[in-house]
Amino acid sequence: MHWRIVTQAVLLLLIFPQITEAQPTPTFPPVGSINEDFSPAGLERLWDIVGPIQPPPFTTTREPQLPIPVPSSPPPLYPSWFAPSPKDIFPNIKLPKGFKFGVATAAYQVEGAAKDEGKGPSMWDWNSRQPFGVLDNTTGDIVDLHYFLYKEDVARVAALGFNSHSLSISWARIFPFGTADSPLNQAGLQHYGEVIDYHLKSGVEPVVTLFHWDTPLALQAYYGGFTSSRIVDDFVNYAKTVFKAFNGKVKTWYTFNEPRVFCGFVGSYPFNFALPVGVDAKAAPYLCSYNLLKAHAGAVKAFREMKIEGEIAFKNDEFIGIPWRSNSSADADAVERHTAFHIGIFSDPVYKTGDWPQIVKDTLPPSFLPRFTEEEKKDLLGSADFFAIDPYRTQWVRDPDDGIAACVANPSHPLWPECNQVVEFDSNSGWATGPSADLFASWLQATPQFVRQSLKALQTRWPTKKMYISEFGFAEPFAQQLTEIFRITEDVARTNYYMTYLGEILLAIHEDKVPIAGIFAWAMVDNAEWGSGTSVRFGIQHVDYNTLKRTYKRSAMALSEFYKAHS
């Protein structure tokens, strides 16, 4: 799921103006100072970097009471003359045969059981304990405790009639120390085997992401994580272990979730306090991008050599964008820069050329962005079987106030190196691009009017025979302030978001011939939304964090009705 770290920092300063340089700073041992000790004592030393962990309220897998009760359909939101019910949105258009219609989660955000059954610490376990690392100090220690409640969660997804769940595996549960030469945690591998089997038993297809941002802390401490080329072999070893374990059971795989966002926060607060000596925070995201793409290519090469059943790619995020001023060549150029730095930097090497976008190479020197060798280009090109995108919104893009050329020539410019800016309102009318999500997800606006345009543009630039909408969703404004369940479950803004997007997706499939083969709603449940913690609620189910009780929201019921009517 998205987390815009720059926006987060701005919000923190607005809400807590007392934050100054005099405040406590993050603490992390100098990279390379921790011995690669794979003993229980060595693992405990890694957990000491994080600090005390809150134990879960129970440590056994809970068996759900079946069948899961599904509430009666909520009353219509609006009169039928104003808006159709979910089943009546283009009722004569059906989803393609075999369409994946599901929900999405990520390990750190939902699992809890942070230290249970041999798991090693991740960098998010560390981040959540740093000053202002998470807005509301939420940790991943317990959150939804999906680790022990996964059977209930899968059963609740099945009860809605959905057929898929996109989940991620925690690298640090499989290899607590992360490295290829470190011990495998058999308990972690067995756990995910049981999770996958229960999905299949319940008629819910597991779609698996190998890495959703939770870097094993050991790898950051040993050599600097994704800023080091050592990460490549360690990731490929982890990937091969998981492929072998679940071959034939998982048919759709992602190597990485939203690599642009992940690499962006590698060089941002507080992760910039865990960089190796000599690695510049501005360069860190691009070193990460280089090593991550090589890790992706290595994992896909192994996937194919091992003859693993199924398909594999990675998950893109963001949007191409629309020129803010339609008659401005500068804004059209800004869109190209936005595209190159946000989607093209990962999609061009894999789907188009085997190399970085030219705009990116023209801007960044090799000291920032290492250049691919001819062999690396060959490995990268074609290393995906489909295109996946998390198209939460599409917005306007314009050039910097002082122009693109001045920005590109000045590495100290606040917009360098991307040298474009996103605008959230129309240049002519001044009206917003779309309704805003919660304050602490201020990057997000609902923009269904641009969905078809955006999906067509993606298919034109990086054509594939299959596309997944691997995440989309909306953060209901002020949801965290509500206490009465009948108010909490009435998530009107989120429901409208899903229904309008799904209507446009139907048209994109049937009228624009975009080969969309599945959609995944973010998120299955309210969870730990990275730097915003539980202050932001993306779930189609409410979670009472005192009792861990799940409750369907209106959006869940609307998605269920839509899918049943269009299957």
Side-chain angles (χ1 to χ4, degrees):
M1 177 48 208
H2 286 64
W3 176 51
R4 298 297 177 266
I5 197 159
V6 174
T7 303
Q8 184 75 24
V10 171
L11 281 170
L12 284 169
L13 289 172
L14 289 173
I15 299 165
F16 303 112
Q18 70 273 22
I19 298 176
T20 67
E21 292 182 0
Q23 296 293 322
T25 56
T27 57
F28 196 85
V31 171
S33 66
I34 301 294
N35 291 330
E36 297 186 25
D37 173 6
F38 303 146
S39 70
L43 183 58
E44 199 57 39
R45 276 191 288 274
L46 293 173
W47 276 111
D48 287 343
I49 298 170
V50 173
I53 300 295
Q54 185 179 0
F58 53 89
T59 57
T60 56
T61 300
R62 180 182 292 176
E63 294 290 336
Q65 294 293 317
L66 300 177
I68 297 292
V70 177
S72 59
S73 298
L77 270 176
Y78 310 108
S80 58
W81 56 261
F82 182 74
S85 64
K87 65 180 174 58
D88 294 326
I89 297 171
F90 301 119
N92 296 323
I93 302 179
K94 301 298 182 181
L95 293 166
K97 184 179 179 181
F99 194 86
K100 294 179 180 21
F101 196 100
V103 292
T105 59
Y108 174 81
Q109 294 182 263
V110 298
E111 282 186 349
K115 198 177 176 181
D116 286 65
E117 299 188 346
K119 177 182 170 292
S122 79
M123 285 303 291
W124 271 94
D125 293 312
W126 171 82
N127 168 73
S128 64
R129 289 163 170 80
Q130 303 313 302
F132 308 108
V134 175
L135 181 66
D136 60 3
N137 299 316
T138 295
T139 72
D141 293 1
I142 298 176
V143 282
D144 304 309
L145 204 55
H146 175 72
Y147 189 81
F148 294 120
L149 292 174
Y150 71 85
K151 289 186 176 181
E152 177 180 341
D153 284 334
V154 172
R156 293 181 66 84
V157 169
L160 291 172
F162 302 162
N163 63 19
S164 306
H165 173 204
S166 179
L167 61 139
S168 78
I169 289 176
S170 167
W171 185 349
R173 285 200 194 276
I174 307 302
F175 288 97
F177 300 94
T179 66
D181 60 345
S182 64
L184 168 69
N185 179 29
Q186 193 62 45
L189 201 63
Q190 180 179 338
H191 167 77
Y192 286 115
E194 292 169 354
V195 170
I196 288 167
D197 286 346
Y198 193 81
H199 275 78
L200 296 172
K201 175 184 175 182
S202 304
V204 177
E205 179 182 354
V207 173
V208 172
T209 301
L210 292 171
F211 181 83
H212 197 127
W213 302 358
D214 47 352
T215 309
L217 182 145
L219 302 187
Q220 196 71 33
Y222 294 161
Y223 55 70
F226 279 89
T227 64
S228 168
S229 61
R230 280 189 60 185
I231 198 82
V232 176
D233 288 343
D234 289 338
F235 179 78
V236 172
N237 174 73
Y238 157 62
K240 289 167 69 175
T241 302
V242 176
F243 292 153
K244 182 180 178 181
F246 307 131
N247 183 23
K249 294 183 177 181
V250 176
K251 299 298 177 63
T252 300
W253 298 84
Y254 302 114
T255 53
F256 290 96
N257 172 78
E258 297 185 357
R260 184 195 65 86
V261 183
F262 167 69
C263 286
F265 65 63
V266 164
S268 302
Y269 179 91
F271 299 96
N272 57 329
F273 283 83
L275 292 175
V277 173
V279 174
D280 180 77
K282 271 194 169 184
Y286 301 102
L287 293 174
C288 170
S289 300
Y290 174 69
N291 291 316
L292 184 149
L293 273 172
K294 290 200 298 178
H296 162 80
V300 174
K301 187 176 183 178
F303 182 91
R304 292 170 177 170
E305 288 177 347
M306 295 169 70
K307 295 183 169 36
I308 302 299
E309 296 179 40
E311 57 189 0
I312 190 167
F314 68 94
K315 292 167 64 177
N316 289 280
D317 83 291
E318 269 282 354
F319 53 90
I320 290 172
I322 302 167
W324 190 49
R325 295 161 294 196
S326 59
N327 61 348
S328 168
S329 60
D331 286 359
D333 291 342
V335 167
E336 291 306 310
R337 296 193 68 84
H338 184 272
T339 303
F341 276 91
H342 286 236
I343 303 181
I345 195 169
F346 293 99
S347 289
D348 273 18
V350 171
Y351 297 95
K352 194 172 182 180
T353 65
D355 200 2
W356 305 115
Q358 193 62 45
I359 287 173
V360 177
K361 289 197 293 183
D362 289 344
T363 306
L364 295 171
S367 58
F368 262 62
L369 184 73
R371 300 319 196 231
F372 294 119
T373 66
E374 291 305 312
E375 187 65 27
E376 288 168 348
K377 293 177 186 178
K378 182 180 177 182
D379 288 342
L380 279 165
L381 187 59
S383 60
D385 298 322
F386 55 89
F387 192 90
I389 185 69
D390 296 353
Y392 283 85
R393 86 287 195 218
T394 301
Q395 291 168 313
W396 310 101
V397 181
R398 61 158 296 181
D399 69 329
D401 292 337
D402 52 351
I404 290 173
C407 173
V408 171
N410 179 14
S412 298
H413 195 289
L415 295 177
W416 189 88
E418 296 182 13
C419 296
N420 67 84
Q421 48 190 334
V422 171
V423 188
E424 298 174 335
F425 58 91
D426 183 86
S427 62
N428 295 315
S429 68
W431 288 102
T433 314
S436 294
D438 190 85
L439 172 64
F440 299 114
S442 60
W443 55 271
L444 178 55
Q445 292 174 296
T447 55
Q449 71 275 23
F450 296 137
V451 165
R452 290 175 65 185
Q453 176 181 345
S454 183
L455 294 174
K456 284 192 292 183
L458 291 168
Q459 177 66 5
T460 298
R461 287 179 185 254
W462 302 285
T464 53
K465 295 181 179 179
K466 181 185 289 187
M467 179 187 293
Y468 289 123
I469 294 178
S470 41
E471 287 181 23
F472 71 130
F474 201 69
E476 190 74 15
F478 312 114
Q480 76 281 4
Q481 298 177 16
L482 303 176
T483 57
E484 297 165 297
I485 196 66
F486 76 92
R487 299 188 196 280
I488 292 169
T489 55
E490 194 63 22
D491 57 341
V492 174
R494 180 180 295 110
T495 301
N496 286 337
Y497 174 99
Y498 279 129
M499 295 303 103
T500 52
Y501 271 57
L502 284 170
E504 291 297 298
I505 289 167
L506 279 177
L507 295 177
I509 294 170
H510 288 272
E511 295 189 5
D512 306 328
K513 308 305 179 186
V514 181
I516 301 167
I519 63 95
F520 297 85
W522 185 273
M524 178 180 73
V525 288
D526 291 334
N527 54 51
E529 281 297 337
W530 305 111
S532 299
T534 55
S535 297
V536 170
R537 309 293 172 91
F538 270 90
I540 63 170
Q541 297 181 74
H542 168 67
V543 178
D544 183 326
Y545 286 111
N546 293 314
T547 65
L548 298 177
K549 180 182 178 182
R550 280 75 158 137
T551 305
Y552 294 123
K553 300 177 187 177
R554 175 183 281 272
S555 58
M557 306 308 296
L559 285 164
S560 178
E561 180 183 326
F562 180 94
Y563 178 54
K564 291 173 181 176
H566 294 85
S567 296

